Amino acid sequence: MVYVKRLVFKRDRVTRWDQYPYCLPVLQNFESLCFSKPVTFLCGENGSGKSTLLEAIAIGYGFNPEGGSRNFSFSTQDSHSLLYRNITLIKSPYSPKDGYFLRAESFYNVSTEVDRLAASDPDPATRERFLQQYGGSLHEQSHGESFFSLILHRFRGQGFYLLDEPESALSPSRQLALLARLGQLVQNGSQFIIATHSPILMGYPDADIYLIQDSRLVRTPYERTEHYIITKQFLGNRQRMLSELFGEDD
């Protein structure tokens, strides 16, 4: 299922191309991005703009800039860009029954908001039911456990989900578990757009991978991504690559 089919950048609205985020090289040539698969990955170097694009999609869809569902309205610091003001999301006729914007860098704030919302209900039974939607209090679990617990329990299916670098909280084995969970949720009519560096996550079958390359978003086969190539080279020739990195002679 695809709920958001296309992102259109309204270039004519931009007045200052020298200001952030419009100074990002990827936006200099950007016009639109199509989503034709249930899972789409945005990949690129640090600072290339993948998270900025994902954030604009999230805000444009109605999610809290710091993460959460469309019902979350908390704010700790306004650090998001204004790109969302100059985009249009082309949606399908179908509406998701669930949705969530999950970003690693502000996950602590989301966890705090979940606890606050639970504590605001005077009924202990209702508080407990609310927290069980997340697998319990997120602050009472490790970072990785709470991150995966939210995805496992709160993501209900038939949803539109945006994930920003989820691998930063997950071990390799949990990344594999996340792949399995993505498969379950896709089978249940969900769409994912994920910004990531993880060659494990990018291995999801039949996903679209858009790589920010030479200041453009290029749809790239998995085996041709730098993430896959460098990881494979390192694992297959670890000693040689370490020797080159440290300037050691053969």
Side-chain angles (χ1 to χ4, degrees):
M1 180 63 69
V2 173
Y3 300 105
V4 173
K5 301 171 64 177
R6 192 179 179 201
L7 162 65
V8 178
F9 181 28
K10 299 180 178 179
R11 300 179 59 87
D12 58 312
R13 290 189 178 185
V14 179
T15 58
R16 293 289 304 273
W17 289 95
D18 60 330
Q19 293 183 346
Y20 181 81
Y22 309 108
C23 60
L24 289 170
V26 67
L27 292 180
Q28 301 294 313
N29 304 299
F30 182 66
E31 293 184 358
S32 66
L33 181 61
C34 293
F35 304 106
S36 59
K37 303 285 184 65
V39 179
T40 301
F41 293 104
L42 305 178
C43 308
E45 279 295 332
N46 295 327
S48 61
K50 62 185 181 303
S51 292
T52 301
L53 283 170
L54 188 71
E55 178 187 79
I57 296 170
I59 302 173
Y61 197 81
F63 291 117
N64 188 323
E66 294 188 44
S69 71
R70 297 177 76 174
N71 295 323
F72 279 44
S73 58
F74 74 95
S75 176
T76 57
Q77 181 177 352
D78 289 336
S79 59
H80 56 279
S81 78
L82 300 180
L83 178 59
Y84 71 95
R85 295 182 179 178
N86 294 326
I87 66 168
T88 295
L89 298 178
I90 308 300
K91 304 174 184 177
S92 76
Y94 308 99
S95 297
K97 294 183 178 180
D98 191 28
Y100 217 88
F101 176 33
L102 186 56
R103 56 190 316 175
E105 69 177 27
S106 56
F107 183 67
Y108 180 90
N109 301 337
V110 170
S111 301
T112 300
E113 179 67 4
V114 169
D115 280 355
R116 187 195 68 80
L117 290 172
S120 67
D121 195 302
D123 180 23
T126 304
R127 288 200 300 269
E128 183 63 23
R129 282 195 298 270
F130 179 81
L131 285 176
Q132 286 310 310
Q133 296 181 67
Y134 294 85
S137 172
L138 299 175
H139 277 313
E140 294 179 2
Q141 306 173 57
S142 74
H143 184 45
E145 288 175 332
S146 60
F147 206 91
F148 190 74
S149 179
L150 188 150
I151 296 171
L152 186 62
H153 295 94
R154 173 57 185 78
F155 288 17
R156 305 185 183 101
Q158 295 183 293
F160 179 57
Y161 303 112
L162 304 175
L163 308 181
D164 188 15
E165 300 187 5
E167 72 277 4
S168 64
L170 302 176
S171 69
S173 62
R174 280 299 173 91
Q175 290 181 48
L176 291 173
L178 176 56
L179 279 180
R181 182 61 176 153
L182 293 182
Q184 293 171 352
L185 291 164
V186 166
Q187 287 295 316
N188 196 17
S190 298
Q191 179 185 5
F192 285 86
I193 304 175
I194 304 171
T196 186
H197 294 288
S198 170
I200 294 178
L201 297 183
M202 290 163 57
Y204 187 90
D206 199 33
D208 272 341
I209 300 174
Y210 286 99
L211 180 65
I212 298 178
Q213 187 176 53
D214 298 327
S215 304
R216 293 181 181 276
L217 271 169
V218 181
R219 189 161 59 183
T220 305
Y222 174 63
E223 289 81 3
R224 294 185 183 178
T225 62
E226 185 180 46
H227 308 70
Y228 171 85
I229 293 170
I230 291 178
T231 302
K232 183 179 180 181
Q233 288 176 343
F234 182 81
L235 294 177
N237 302 278
R238 181 173 66 93
Q239 195 56 53
R240 178 179 176 182
M241 291 193 71
L242 289 174
S243 295
E244 292 178 357
L245 287 171
F246 299 144
E248 299 175 357
D249 295 331
D250 293 337

